[in-house]
Amino acid sequence: MRSTHTRYAAITATDLLLVSWLIYCALRNVWSTGGISNMTPYLFVFSCYVAARVFRRYASLLWGISIVGIWQSVLALMQHIGWIASRHQLFDVTGSFGNPGQLGGLLAVSMVCMVCLVMQRRKGRVYLFPLFLLQAYALWLSDSRAGWIAAVCGGLFLLWNRPPGAWPKFRTSLPVKIILCILVAVFLWGLYCYKPDSANGRMLVWKVSADMIADKPLLGHGIGGFNRNYMHYQAAFFEKHPDSAYQQYADNVQYAYNEFLHIWVDQGVIGLILSIVLIGGALLVPAERNAYKGPLIAYLVVALFSYPSYVPGLLALFPILLAAIQSRPLSTHISKGVYWGFVAAALCCAGYVGKEYVFRKQCRTTIQGLFSSSASEIAVARKFAADHYRRLLAYPRIADVYAQYAFQHYDPQEALAILSDVKKVVPTSELYCDLGDLHKALGDFNSARDCYRTAGNMIPRRLTPKYKLFVLFRDMGDTCSAKRQAAKILDMPIRLEGTRTLKMKAEVRQFMTTPQ
């Protein structure tokens, strides 16, 4: 959408493909009766894309992304030294992100952008080299395998397709290509062996996601369908494969760890094809006409192993880099009225996204007040949750926190209604255990049994749901079922033995040794 002094503005194939994909996503969201809040990431993508197209000074984008990467590297270094705290309890280095994987994704794209700058500049290259090393060290500190793979892939693409006047081009003979392929394969295998549990956990998620796709391949499960349905499919997977080796890697899952699988699950094969055509059309632009495909390739590699669409700072990179890759304008043009209509729509979308961001931040801080020691803060938080209950359900993590509070402090009937709503948004093993407790307190033992079994199938190596099911059978007087469940508990391996699990097993052993 390039503005000119004429009555018309030129449009590109990328413009049309992006709009077509976003329109399909909006329609798919309506068909699945999803709320408008589910469209927030897509509206954010549209706003960033239009802003980048209007801006048009694409050379500045490389500098902008690189500067952000340098800033994040400085934060990471300060966290490593201990001058500032990270934003995660388990990791020392996260930058301004919630975990080191997100930091690694940003640094990978930033490093490839800096390689672009080095290749474009004939003078002053030496001054960029220390900044590149700073980001490489920060990426090392992040311990992000996806980040390293993305940085290597994006860098190799740029070196292989260097613009005229950069540095001497590598020979592309067949032996050189074979050697490079072998080195890349060894590199990938080494990264797998470095953290095999993490890699196997992702493979489990991808297997279960494939089951979700097989059920609804054409239209998918709707926008937000992955979060709503994944844990149920994981429970069905382990119910069907009770001896699966993947049991030890199972946990509550909120991300597909592959954005293309996520798109396929939510939007079906139609949405996947539209997104691939959109990306493929941009990547088919002749390489010598731009230097932005390297950073985009790095971003796409991150998207293959992580979840950048859940992180606004990373999600913004996709439409910005896409807009920077310019294809030739189509023979058709749009009038200036339509052009400014798109700009106005982007501004409205940006306003809505900003409003939702402010509300989410308010939710996050206010709902935490439920667990405060101050009675006034608790009262404010409870009123806020009651007034914005339906909007809270659009944010799974916040809804889950509210469900935990409701389970602990509300009467069983009221808590059951809240947890029944939350399970449609973010089903977890712990949530189903709480639901089972509520059904049990209300005398509905059959529903309690079903909830405990579902919780146990979701994460087979989790002891709590199996123990609760044992207690249910024991309290019901079903001694045979209680003994069968007790035998399963005593035979099951536990990943981490703690005081709580030891007490549970001790109680089960006592039951088994006591004459009934």
Side-chain angles (χ1 to χ4, degrees):
M1 277 174 275
R2 179 167 51 85
S3 179
T4 65
H5 294 290
T6 64
R7 295 174 53 197
Y8 300 95
I11 59 174
T12 66
T14 304
D15 299 335
L16 294 179
L17 289 171
L18 179 72
V19 171
S20 299
W21 177 54
L22 294 178
I23 289 175
Y24 170 77
C25 292
L27 293 174
R28 189 66 192 90
N29 186 54
V30 172
W31 293 336
S32 60
T33 64
I36 188 174
S37 57
N38 289 338
M39 289 298 297
T40 301
Y42 301 95
L43 299 179
F44 181 65
V45 166
F46 177 70
S47 301
C48 292
Y49 182 84
V50 173
R53 291 288 280 119
V54 172
F55 182 59
R56 288 192 295 154
R57 299 185 62 179
Y58 301 118
S60 302
L61 295 177
L62 293 178
W63 280 107
I65 296 173
S66 298
I67 290 172
V68 172
I70 294 169
W71 170 57
Q72 291 292 336
S73 300
V74 172
L75 290 179
L77 186 60
M78 294 174 69
Q79 290 170 344
H80 178 65
I81 296 173
W83 289 357
I84 59 176
S86 75
R87 299 186 61 184
H88 198 287
Q89 295 179 350
L90 301 179
F91 302 102
D92 295 331
V93 175
T94 61
S96 64
F97 294 98
N99 66 58
Q102 299 166 8
L103 171 65
L106 185 278
L107 291 175
V109 177
S110 175
M111 288 171 62
V112 178
C113 287
M114 187 153 286
V115 173
C116 291
L117 293 173
V118 170
M119 296 176 70
Q120 289 178 355
R121 293 173 65 88
R122 297 179 181 275
K123 297 181 180 180
R125 290 174 176 172
V126 67
Y127 299 108
L128 294 176
F129 189 65
L131 298 176
F132 178 85
L133 290 181
L134 172 65
Q135 294 182 80
Y137 181 62
L139 180 57
W140 176 268
L141 293 177
S142 73
D143 201 23
S144 171
R145 293 167 303 162
W148 277 111
I149 296 173
V152 168
C153 291
L156 285 177
F157 173 85
L158 290 177
L159 294 177
W160 212 278
N161 299 278
R162 64 122 179 98
W167 48 54
K169 191 173 182 180
F170 289 119
R171 294 181 61 190
T172 56
S173 61
L174 182 60
V176 172
K177 292 180 179 179
I178 294 175
I179 292 173
L180 282 176
C181 289
I182 294 174
L183 291 176
V184 170
V186 171
F187 175 68
L188 294 176
W189 176 251
L191 290 177
Y192 169 80
C193 294
Y194 178 57
K195 289 183 179 180
D197 287 353
S198 176
N200 289 329
R202 280 169 166 76
M203 292 180 66
L204 168 63
V205 176
W206 297 342
K207 281 180 175 290
V208 177
S209 298
D211 292 338
M212 299 179 71
I213 291 169
D215 268 3
K216 297 184 178 181
L218 185 61
L219 296 176
H221 294 261
I223 305 300
F226 181 87
N227 283 337
R228 292 193 299 268
N229 299 290
Y230 174 85
M231 290 303 295
H232 293 294
Y233 275 86
Q234 181 166 289
F237 175 84
F238 287 121
E239 189 174 4
K240 186 177 180 181
H241 305 90
D243 299 323
S244 173
Y246 286 106
Q247 286 188 5
Q248 60 183 313
Y249 309 114
D251 205 341
N252 293 310
V253 174
Q254 295 182 348
Y255 316 110
Y257 295 100
N258 184 305
E259 293 293 359
F260 295 98
L261 276 178
H262 190 179
I263 290 173
W264 199 348
V265 169
D266 279 9
Q267 305 169 25
V269 70
I270 297 177
L272 180 67
I273 291 174
L274 288 173
S275 61
I276 290 177
V277 171
L278 168 65
I279 296 169
L283 293 178
L284 287 176
V285 174
E288 66 273 7
R289 293 181 55 207
N290 62 79
Y292 301 93
K293 285 197 282 189
L296 180 60
I297 287 174
Y299 181 91
L300 294 175
V301 172
V302 171
L304 286 174
F305 303 100
S306 189
Y307 44 92
S309 66
Y310 285 86
V311 187
L314 294 179
L315 179 59
L317 293 175
F318 174 67
I320 290 174
L321 292 172
L322 201 63
I325 300 176
Q326 290 299 291
S327 58
R328 288 188 177 89
L330 300 176
S331 57
T332 57
H333 295 70
I334 57 174
S335 68
K336 279 298 191 67
V338 175
Y339 167 81
W340 287 112
F342 273 105
V343 174
L347 290 174
C348 292
C349 292
Y352 174 79
V353 171
K355 180 181 176 183
E356 284 296 306
Y357 175 79
V358 171
F359 175 75
R360 184 177 64 177
K361 186 175 182 180
Q362 183 184 10
C363 285
R364 194 161 46 238
T365 55
T366 306
I367 293 301
Q368 289 298 330
L370 290 171
F371 301 93
S372 171
S373 58
S374 170
S376 60
E377 286 189 28
I378 295 175
V380 170
R382 291 185 66 157
K383 185 178 186 307
F384 179 87
D387 293 342
H388 302 90
Y389 176 65
R390 288 299 165 187
R391 292 187 69 183
L392 285 177
L393 296 178
Y395 301 101
R397 290 186 179 182
I398 297 172
D400 187 53
V401 172
Y402 182 51
Q404 294 174 33
Y405 177 83
F407 170 72
Q408 296 172 15
H409 297 90
Y410 291 178
D411 66 83
Q413 198 68 50
E414 184 179 3
L416 180 62
I418 293 173
L419 267 65
S420 297
D421 287 337
V422 174
K423 77 174 184 181
K424 300 173 184 176
V425 179
V426 52
T428 64
S429 179
E430 291 78 11
L431 181 68
Y432 267 84
C433 283
D434 293 344
L435 278 167
D437 290 348
L438 292 173
H439 283 298
K440 180 181 176 182
L442 294 171
D444 188 353
F445 297 118
N446 290 332
S447 295
R449 179 196 59 203
D450 293 341
C451 286
Y452 292 144
R453 283 177 174 170
T454 300
N457 288 329
M458 284 178 172
I459 307 179
R461 295 291 177 88
R462 191 69 54 86
L463 180 60
T464 301
K466 290 180 171 55
Y467 168 77
K468 287 181 177 291
L469 187 58
F470 155 75
V471 172
L472 177 67
F473 288 140
R474 185 192 64 188
D475 294 348
M476 291 172 59
D478 189 349
T479 305
C480 293
S481 297
K483 286 188 174 181
R484 284 195 296 269
Q485 190 65 22
K488 291 179 181 178
I489 291 174
L490 295 175
D491 290 341
M492 70 178 293
I494 306 297
R495 292 180 64 180
L496 293 174
E497 289 278 6
T499 304
R500 188 165 178 266
T501 58
L502 291 174
K503 287 182 178 179
M504 290 179 186
K505 284 199 168 185
E507 183 179 343
V508 171
R509 288 193 188 95
Q510 184 179 5
F511 174 82
M512 293 291 283
T513 56
T514 301
Q516 303 298 322

